[in-house]
Structure formats: structure tokens, C-alpha cells
Amino acid sequence: MAVDELDTRILRLLLEQPRTSVREYARILRVARGTLQARLDRMEREGVITGTGPVLSPAALGHPVLAFVHIEVTQGHLDEVGDALADVPEIVEAFSITGGGDLLTRVVARDNAHLEDVIQKLISLPGVVRTRTEVALRERVPHRLLPLVESIARGTRG
């Protein structure tokens, strides 16, 4: 979906002031509330806006260790292993990938010993051949999408 300048301004406000009301967004943007709501509805319907809940910090929840675990799976067992990953609460994301391994997971843990326990749990899953773990030392660029949205909007302007 192409986003225009107004969509970009709306998305910026949603990201920067997520607890503001639709009425207040409309006032800030100087557009009718109905216009704003229609834009929000369209962006939700088209999958641009995928959620409105709070963003939580695993570190603040007692899980400051972040690791990326590559999982190699026995051929034909990708779906089975992928389904099993959903039962491991320390896995916060999992993706099928190309390259070195079949799955890439983002794992959080209380400490390195806990991380080792999680990895051992993953290794014991039926269909898992091996894992490779990389521990994150420091976040350099936090998760963000606004620069991408702004870049796309700039591309749609003549």
C-alpha cells in the first residue's frame, strides 16, 4: 500500500504519542475526525497498522539477555518444529529463513544459565538437528519503522 503525506503524519503521531485519542490526533493534524478515522480504518484493513497494544521490555520483565538462535531442522519437519517453538515462552519471534539454518528465533532469558536451559530445550525438540546461538551485546538501532514509512512517502511525492 502506498502511503501519502497525511498517512505518514498519522503514523508518526501513532508511534510518538500512542496513548492520544483519535479526536486529539485530528486536532493536531488539523483534519476532520472522520477523515482521520477513515485513514486509520483503511491502514488497519490493509495491514499497515497491525496492533495497538503496549510495547513491552523483556529486560524490564527480568529477561535482559537477548540471543538469536539459528535452528537446523530435519527435512520435512519444519512445520512440526515451528509449531513446537510456540510452546517455548522465551521465544519472542521465530522465522523460516534461507542460508545457515532453517529457522531463526529471537530468544530472551534471565541470564546466561537460563539461556543455556532454553537452548537445551530447543535441541531436545523432535526434528531439531542442531542450533547455533549468537548473543546480542547491545542494541544499536532499536526496532523502528518510521524512517521506512517516511522514505516510502517521499517516493510517492512527485
Side-chain angles (χ1 to χ4, degrees):
M1 173 190 143
V3 294
D4 63 16
E5 184 180 346
L6 178 55
D7 292 332
T8 302
R9 291 171 51 216
I10 292 168
L11 292 170
R12 174 185 288 284
L13 272 177
L14 288 174
L15 292 169
E16 292 176 347
Q17 300 177 36
R19 301 183 101 179
T20 303
S21 69
V22 171
R23 173 177 284 160
E24 182 64 10
Y25 288 144
R27 186 192 68 73
I28 292 168
L29 295 170
R30 297 178 187 202
V31 298
R33 185 183 179 284
T35 299
L36 179 67
Q37 190 63 60
R39 294 285 185 120
L40 289 171
D41 291 345
R42 178 181 51 84
M43 288 190 281
E44 284 181 11
R45 190 173 51 253
E46 295 186 11
V48 173
I49 298 172
T50 59
T52 58
V55 177
L56 306 178
S57 165
L61 292 170
H63 289 68
V65 176
L66 171 62
F68 298 93
V69 180
H70 299 258
I71 302 172
E72 187 177 322
V73 176
T74 304
Q75 194 166 3
H77 290 86
L78 188 61
D79 289 339
E80 175 186 332
V81 173
D83 291 344
L85 295 178
D87 294 330
V88 181
E90 295 86 358
I91 294 179
V92 295
E93 287 183 299
F95 302 91
S96 300
I97 60 169
T98 63
D102 300 299
L103 294 163
L104 176 64
T105 63
R106 189 167 71 129
V107 177
V108 296
R110 293 184 301 273
D111 53 35
N112 287 345
H114 182 218
L115 176 60
E116 182 181 10
D117 293 341
V118 173
I119 293 166
Q120 291 302 319
K121 186 185 303 183
L122 297 178
I123 291 170
S124 71
L125 293 174
V128 172
V129 175
R130 72 179 50 87
T131 65
R132 188 181 88 244
T133 302
E134 298 163 352
V135 176
L137 300 176
R138 179 182 299 159
E139 182 177 67
R140 298 295 180 163
V141 178
H143 179 77
R144 70 210 179 121
L145 291 172
L146 189 56
L148 175 65
V149 170
E150 290 173 337
S151 171
I152 292 167
R154 278 192 303 275
T156 62
R157 291 184 211 144

